[in-house]
């Protein structure tokens, strides 16, 4: 079955770089895009960026200068790196699969999320 | 960026009640609108895609409608498991923005 699982450090120092991994199973990264979404404590969801099935990427312009998303298709892993972290980057980070169906593009499977705290 | 204004931010409701959550985009989004449910443990699942299409496995008491800038999610008869957060999300243009969420609470 389709699964996504985020992993990475739960505590990062301000000004440092966050590195997260999304390990997927049940589908191929060459057939589906993977998206990163984050949620600060008590707040809503923010789309961060996507790596499409062809390997191209798109980023939220608000994060573009700090963010990169890559993948290793042989390991079924997608990587997020974001530098110059600040305390307001504290959030739950989710990876999710993008699916296309009948004119719709939506996120059909989600990881459980990983809570990342940025300490000053 | 397209802003998504979701109302209300919270909604007390009773079991069996019919409820509607609204989502307004800052510009037309051509029906490119999805709805998601988030449970208190953080689990997120899709409910509706492309305005009105029910995701597989989602009960038929959920429905979506709308056009242009105005969209809505309706739950025809609330069940205990429906008390959760709900988010709309547009995919007309990047960044793919979400609404601020509606918390459906037990009255």
């Amino acid at each position: 079955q389709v699964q996504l699982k985020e992993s990475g450090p739960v505590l990062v120092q301000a000004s440092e770089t966050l590195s997260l991994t999304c390990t997927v199973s049940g589908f191929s990264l060459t057939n589906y895009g993977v998206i990163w979404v984050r949620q600060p404590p008590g707040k809503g969801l923010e789309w961060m960026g996507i790596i499409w099935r062809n390997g191209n990427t798109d980023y939220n312009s608000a994060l573009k200068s700090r963010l990169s998303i890559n993948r290793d298709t042989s390991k079924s892993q997608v990587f997020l790196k974001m530098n110059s972290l600040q305390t307001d980057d504290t959030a739950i980070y989710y990876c999710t699969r993008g699916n296309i169906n009948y004119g719709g593009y939506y996120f059909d499977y989600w990881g459980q999320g990983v809570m990342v705290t940025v300490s000053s | 960026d397209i802003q998504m204004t979701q109302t209300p931010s919270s909604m007390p409701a009773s079991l069996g009640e019919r409820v509607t959550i609204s989502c307004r985009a800052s510009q037309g989004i051509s029906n490119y609108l999805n709805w998601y449910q988030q449970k208190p443990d953080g689990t997120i699942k899709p409910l509706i895609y492309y305005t009105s299409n029910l995701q597989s496995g989602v009960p038929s008491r959920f429905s979506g409608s709308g056009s242009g800038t105005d969209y809505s999610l309706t739950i025809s008869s609330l069940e205990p498991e429906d008390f959760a957060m709900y988010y709309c999300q547009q995919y007309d243009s990047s960044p793919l923005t979400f609404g601020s969420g509606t918390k459906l609470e037990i009255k």
Side-chain angles (χ1 to χ4, degrees):
Chain A
Q1 69 276 29
V2 173
Q3 290 185 317
L4 301 94
K5 185 174 175 62
E6 306 88 350
S7 60
V10 296
L11 183 64
V12 183
Q13 296 297 313
S15 79
E16 294 188 345
T17 296
L18 173 66
S19 295
L20 295 176
T21 299
C22 175
T23 302
V24 311
S25 59
F27 69 98
S28 170
L29 295 177
T30 58
N31 290 331
Y32 292 87
V34 169
I35 298 93
W36 288 94
V37 174
R38 68 178 181 176
Q39 184 175 37
K43 296 189 177 181
L45 302 168
E46 179 183 29
W47 178 84
M48 300 181 71
I50 181 173
I51 186 161
W52 297 96
R53 59 183 183 178
N54 64 3
N56 290 344
T57 53
D58 280 314
Y59 301 114
N60 187 326
S61 56
L63 302 172
K64 190 173 185 177
S65 63
R66 302 195 288 139
L67 181 64
S68 68
I69 300 174
N70 294 286
R71 69 182 185 181
D72 183 334
T73 56
S74 67
K75 294 183 177 179
S76 295
Q77 291 181 322
V78 175
F79 309 105
L80 175 148
K81 287 191 188 303
M82 190 162 69
N83 59 30
S84 304
L85 288 183
Q86 299 301 318
T87 54
D88 59 3
D89 291 313
T90 294
I92 300 173
Y93 287 76
Y94 295 93
C95 59
T96 174
R97 187 181 81 163
N99 195 9
I100 297 172
N101 198 7
Y102 295 106
Y105 186 76
Y106 61 103
F107 311 147
D108 62 350
Y109 289 90
W110 293 68
Q112 63 190 22
V114 58
M115 178 67 202
V116 176
T117 299
V118 180
S119 171
S120 58
Chain B
D1 298 1
I2 296 178
Q3 307 301 317
M4 304 300 292
T5 302
Q6 206 174 319
T7 55
S9 57
S10 66
M11 176 186 285
S14 303
L15 291 173
E17 188 174 340
R18 178 186 180 92
V19 298
T20 296
I21 298 169
S22 298
C23 187
R24 173 168 288 178
S26 58
Q27 64 190 66
I29 55 171
S30 304
N31 290 91
Y32 296 141
L33 190 284
N34 303 323
W35 291 94
Y36 300 88
Q37 178 192 66
Q38 184 177 35
K39 291 293 185 74
D41 67 357
T43 303
I44 300 173
K45 74 170 190 177
L47 299 173
I48 303 283
Y49 63 93
Y50 196 29
T51 295
S52 59
N53 294 273
L54 202 64
Q55 168 68 351
S56 176
V58 174
S60 59
R61 63 181 180 271
F62 290 90
S63 63
S65 64
S67 64
T69 60
D70 294 320
Y71 300 84
S72 61
L73 171 71
T74 297
I75 309 172
S76 61
S77 179
L78 283 170
E79 297 285 338
E81 61 269 27
D82 300 337
F83 292 94
M85 285 291 293
Y86 293 86
Y87 292 94
C88 61
Q89 175 246 322
Q90 65 81 21
Y91 58 100
D92 179 73
S93 63
S94 180
L96 306 184
T97 42
F98 290 87
S100 54
T102 294
K103 186 174 184 179
L104 194 50
E105 302 172 301
I106 298 177
K107 185 185 289 183

